[in-house]
Amino acid sequence: METRALSRLSHRMPSLFGDLSASTLNAPAINILDEDNHYMVTLAVPGMKKNDFKIEVDGNILTSSSEKEESTEEKNKKFTRNVYNYSSFSRCFLLPGGIKQENIEAKFENGVLKIALPRKEPTKKPGVKKIALK
């Protein structure tokens, strides 16, 4: 019962990054971490290579996409078999205000694409403020 309540709550919470993707059927799983001075967007993309990706920022929309096409041919005395595989995805996110777009960096390691979105100013946690009663 506690799990259902958490699931309902997570669906009600507004996302800081609006996912503008038309379809997420073939899209990789993502995580967005809120670090002290940047956001870190990670996409799980096993089997992909660094050159398979295209990452763009247009206005305040971040797009990460990939297209991968592979084909193999096996010839035998009695038959020829061709296997074709095509996969693609595109994820678009509406960036929150305060991102230094000129300093966005992307890195690909071990099947994980990481996109660092630096903030213009680090988030400062407000200190305790005493309010006097009048």
Side-chain angles (χ1 to χ4, degrees):
M1 184 149 150
E2 196 173 292
T3 304
R4 268 191 257 150
L6 285 174
S7 177
R8 284 194 308 262
L9 178 62
S10 67
H11 290 296
R12 290 182 192 167
M13 293 175 63
S15 175
L16 184 59
F17 293 80
D19 189 348
L20 304 175
S21 302
S23 171
T24 57
L25 270 181
N26 297 324
I30 64 160
N31 284 314
I32 301 173
L33 300 172
D34 186 354
E35 302 288 335
D36 287 335
N37 59 357
H38 68 281
Y39 295 104
M40 180 64 72
V41 178
T42 59
L43 293 91
V45 285
M48 303 295 275
K49 297 176 190 160
K50 178 181 173 180
N51 296 335
D52 294 334
F53 298 100
K54 187 165 94 174
I55 302 167
E56 299 177 331
V57 175
D58 184 7
N60 62 345
I61 297 175
L62 171 71
T63 302
S64 175
S65 61
S66 173
E67 288 188 30
K68 185 175 182 180
E69 187 173 346
E70 297 176 323
S71 65
T72 59
E73 184 176 320
E74 180 183 333
K75 289 188 177 188
N76 198 331
K77 290 181 181 180
K78 296 182 181 181
F79 70 90
T80 299
R81 178 174 72 168
N82 291 313
V83 178
Y84 300 97
N85 183 18
Y86 177 80
S87 62
S88 69
F89 76 86
S90 181
R91 295 292 298 255
C92 299
F93 301 96
L94 184 61
L95 296 175
I99 298 294
K100 285 185 185 177
Q101 292 187 9
E102 63 277 3
N103 293 357
I104 292 175
E105 295 180 355
K107 184 177 182 181
F108 180 72
E109 290 183 316
N110 302 322
V112 177
L113 175 64
K114 295 180 179 183
I115 305 171
L117 306 169
R119 291 190 183 105
K120 290 182 180 174
E121 293 182 24
T123 302
K124 296 178 183 176
K125 295 182 180 180
V128 177
K129 179 180 178 182
K130 293 185 179 183
I131 301 171
L133 291 173
K134 296 183 180 181

